[in-house]
Short mmCIF file of all heavy atoms in Angstrom, two decimals:
data_model
loop_
_atom_site.label_atom_id
_atom_site.label_comp_id
_atom_site.label_asym_id
_atom_site.label_seq_id
_atom_site.Cartn_x
_atom_site.Cartn_y
_atom_site.Cartn_z
N THR J 20 20.29 -1.52 -4.56
CA THR J 20 19.41 -1.34 -5.72
C THR J 20 18.29 -2.36 -5.62
O THR J 20 18.55 -3.55 -5.41
CB THR J 20 20.15 -1.59 -7.05
OG1 THR J 20 21.22 -0.67 -7.18
CG2 THR J 20 19.20 -1.41 -8.22
N ILE J 21 17.06 -1.89 -5.74
CA ILE J 21 15.90 -2.78 -5.85
C ILE J 21 15.23 -2.44 -7.19
O ILE J 21 14.80 -1.31 -7.41
CB ILE J 21 14.90 -2.59 -4.71
CG1 ILE J 21 15.56 -2.87 -3.36
CG2 ILE J 21 13.70 -3.54 -4.91
CD1 ILE J 21 14.65 -2.64 -2.16
N ASN J 22 15.20 -3.43 -8.06
CA ASN J 22 14.66 -3.20 -9.40
C ASN J 22 13.14 -3.22 -9.42
O ASN J 22 12.51 -4.03 -8.73
CB ASN J 22 15.19 -4.27 -10.36
CG ASN J 22 16.66 -4.11 -10.65
OD1 ASN J 22 17.22 -3.03 -10.49
ND2 ASN J 22 17.30 -5.19 -11.06
N CYS J 23 12.58 -2.35 -10.24
CA CYS J 23 11.14 -2.27 -10.42
C CYS J 23 10.86 -1.92 -11.87
O CYS J 23 11.41 -0.94 -12.40
CB CYS J 23 10.53 -1.22 -9.50
SG CYS J 23 8.78 -0.87 -9.83
N THR J 24 10.02 -2.69 -12.52
CA THR J 24 9.54 -2.36 -13.87
C THR J 24 8.02 -2.38 -13.85
O THR J 24 7.41 -3.01 -12.99
CB THR J 24 10.06 -3.35 -14.93
OG1 THR J 24 9.67 -4.67 -14.56
CG2 THR J 24 11.57 -3.28 -15.04
N TYR J 25 7.45 -1.70 -14.82
CA TYR J 25 6.00 -1.57 -14.82
C TYR J 25 5.42 -1.75 -16.21
O TYR J 25 6.13 -1.61 -17.22
CB TYR J 25 5.56 -0.22 -14.25
CG TYR J 25 5.95 0.95 -15.13
CD1 TYR J 25 5.08 1.43 -16.11
CD2 TYR J 25 7.18 1.57 -14.98
CE1 TYR J 25 5.43 2.49 -16.93
CE2 TYR J 25 7.54 2.64 -15.79
CZ TYR J 25 6.67 3.08 -16.77
OH TYR J 25 7.02 4.13 -17.58
N THR J 26 4.15 -2.07 -16.24
CA THR J 26 3.36 -2.10 -17.46
C THR J 26 2.14 -1.24 -17.22
O THR J 26 1.45 -1.41 -16.20
CB THR J 26 2.91 -3.54 -17.81
OG1 THR J 26 4.06 -4.37 -17.94
CG2 THR J 26 2.11 -3.55 -19.10
N ALA J 27 1.90 -0.29 -18.13
CA ALA J 27 0.76 0.60 -17.94
C ALA J 27 0.20 0.98 -19.31
O ALA J 27 0.93 1.08 -20.29
CB ALA J 27 1.16 1.85 -17.17
N THR J 28 -1.10 1.22 -19.31
CA THR J 28 -1.75 1.59 -20.56
C THR J 28 -1.59 3.07 -20.85
O THR J 28 -1.62 3.47 -22.00
CB THR J 28 -3.25 1.24 -20.51
OG1 THR J 28 -3.81 1.82 -19.31
CG2 THR J 28 -3.45 -0.26 -20.45
N GLY J 29 -1.44 3.88 -19.81
CA GLY J 29 -1.34 5.32 -20.00
C GLY J 29 -0.02 5.85 -19.49
O GLY J 29 1.04 5.29 -19.75
N TYR J 30 -0.11 6.96 -18.73
CA TYR J 30 1.09 7.61 -18.22
C TYR J 30 1.00 7.65 -16.70
O TYR J 30 0.50 8.62 -16.12
CB TYR J 30 1.20 9.02 -18.80
CG TYR J 30 1.28 9.00 -20.32
CD1 TYR J 30 0.14 9.15 -21.10
CD2 TYR J 30 2.50 8.79 -20.95
CE1 TYR J 30 0.21 9.10 -22.48
CE2 TYR J 30 2.58 8.75 -22.33
CZ TYR J 30 1.43 8.89 -23.09
OH TYR J 30 1.50 8.84 -24.46
N PRO J 31 1.48 6.59 -16.07
CA PRO J 31 1.28 6.48 -14.63
C PRO J 31 2.23 7.35 -13.82
O PRO J 31 3.25 7.82 -14.32
CB PRO J 31 1.59 5.00 -14.37
CG PRO J 31 2.63 4.67 -15.39
CD PRO J 31 2.23 5.44 -16.62
N SER J 32 1.87 7.55 -12.57
CA SER J 32 2.80 8.04 -11.57
C SER J 32 3.38 6.82 -10.86
O SER J 32 2.70 5.80 -10.72
CB SER J 32 2.08 8.93 -10.57
OG SER J 32 1.58 10.08 -11.22
N LEU J 33 4.62 6.94 -10.41
CA LEU J 33 5.32 5.81 -9.82
C LEU J 33 5.74 6.14 -8.39
O LEU J 33 6.08 7.30 -8.08
CB LEU J 33 6.55 5.46 -10.66
CG LEU J 33 6.26 5.11 -12.12
CD1 LEU J 33 7.57 4.94 -12.88
CD2 LEU J 33 5.41 3.85 -12.22
N PHE J 34 5.71 5.14 -7.55
CA PHE J 34 5.92 5.34 -6.12
C PHE J 34 6.79 4.22 -5.54
O PHE J 34 6.76 3.08 -6.03
CB PHE J 34 4.59 5.33 -5.36
CG PHE J 34 3.57 6.29 -5.88
CD1 PHE J 34 2.75 5.95 -6.95
CD2 PHE J 34 3.40 7.53 -5.29
CE1 PHE J 34 1.80 6.84 -7.44
CE2 PHE J 34 2.45 8.42 -5.77
CZ PHE J 34 1.65 8.07 -6.85
N TRP J 35 7.49 4.56 -4.48
CA TRP J 35 8.06 3.56 -3.59
C TRP J 35 7.47 3.80 -2.20
O TRP J 35 7.50 4.93 -1.68
CB TRP J 35 9.58 3.65 -3.53
CG TRP J 35 10.25 2.96 -4.67
CD1 TRP J 35 10.75 3.52 -5.80
CD2 TRP J 35 10.49 1.56 -4.79
NE1 TRP J 35 11.28 2.56 -6.63
CE2 TRP J 35 11.13 1.34 -6.02
CE3 TRP J 35 10.23 0.44 -3.96
CZ2 TRP J 35 11.52 0.06 -6.46
CZ3 TRP J 35 10.61 -0.81 -4.39
CH2 TRP J 35 11.25 -1.00 -5.63
N TYR J 36 6.93 2.73 -1.63
CA TYR J 36 6.43 2.74 -0.26
C TYR J 36 7.31 1.83 0.59
O TYR J 36 7.88 0.85 0.09
CB TYR J 36 4.99 2.24 -0.18
CG TYR J 36 3.95 3.26 -0.59
CD1 TYR J 36 3.64 3.47 -1.93
CD2 TYR J 36 3.26 4.00 0.37
CE1 TYR J 36 2.68 4.41 -2.30
CE2 TYR J 36 2.31 4.93 0.01
CZ TYR J 36 2.03 5.13 -1.33
OH TYR J 36 1.08 6.06 -1.69
N VAL J 37 7.40 2.16 1.88
CA VAL J 37 8.19 1.35 2.80
C VAL J 37 7.31 0.92 3.96
O VAL J 37 6.45 1.69 4.43
CB VAL J 37 9.45 2.11 3.27
CG1 VAL J 37 9.09 3.41 3.98
CG2 VAL J 37 10.30 1.23 4.19
N GLN J 38 7.49 -0.31 4.38
CA GLN J 38 6.74 -0.84 5.52
C GLN J 38 7.74 -1.38 6.54
O GLN J 38 8.37 -2.43 6.32
CB GLN J 38 5.78 -1.94 5.07
CG GLN J 38 4.85 -2.45 6.15
CD GLN J 38 3.83 -3.45 5.62
OE1 GLN J 38 4.13 -4.26 4.75
NE2 GLN J 38 2.61 -3.39 6.13
N TYR J 39 7.91 -0.65 7.63
CA TYR J 39 8.79 -1.09 8.70
C TYR J 39 8.08 -2.17 9.51
O TYR J 39 6.85 -2.23 9.53
CB TYR J 39 9.20 0.08 9.57
CG TYR J 39 10.01 1.12 8.83
CD1 TYR J 39 9.43 2.31 8.40
CD2 TYR J 39 11.35 0.89 8.52
CE1 TYR J 39 10.16 3.25 7.69
CE2 TYR J 39 12.08 1.83 7.81
CZ TYR J 39 11.48 3.00 7.39
OH TYR J 39 12.20 3.92 6.68
N PRO J 40 8.84 -3.01 10.19
CA PRO J 40 8.23 -4.13 10.93
C PRO J 40 7.10 -3.67 11.84
O PRO J 40 7.27 -2.77 12.66
CB PRO J 40 9.41 -4.70 11.71
CG PRO J 40 10.61 -4.35 10.89
CD PRO J 40 10.31 -3.01 10.28
N GLY J 41 5.94 -4.29 11.69
CA GLY J 41 4.80 -4.02 12.55
C GLY J 41 4.09 -2.70 12.28
O GLY J 41 3.21 -2.32 13.05
N GLU J 42 4.45 -2.03 11.21
CA GLU J 42 3.85 -0.73 10.92
C GLU J 42 3.10 -0.74 9.59
O GLU J 42 3.16 -1.70 8.83
CB GLU J 42 4.93 0.36 10.91
CG GLU J 42 5.65 0.51 12.23
CD GLU J 42 6.63 1.67 12.23
OE1 GLU J 42 6.57 2.51 11.32
OE2 GLU J 42 7.46 1.72 13.15
N GLY J 43 2.39 0.36 9.33
CA GLY J 43 1.69 0.52 8.07
C GLY J 43 2.64 1.00 6.98
O GLY J 43 3.85 1.06 7.17
#
Side-chain angles (χ1 to χ4, degrees):
Chain J
T20 299
I21 301 177
N22 290 338
C23 171
T24 57
Y25 68 91
T26 302
T28 52
Y30 300 95
S32 296
L33 302 173
F34 306 84
W35 279 99
Y36 281 82
V37 59
Q38 187 175 37
Y39 296 103
E42 299 185 14

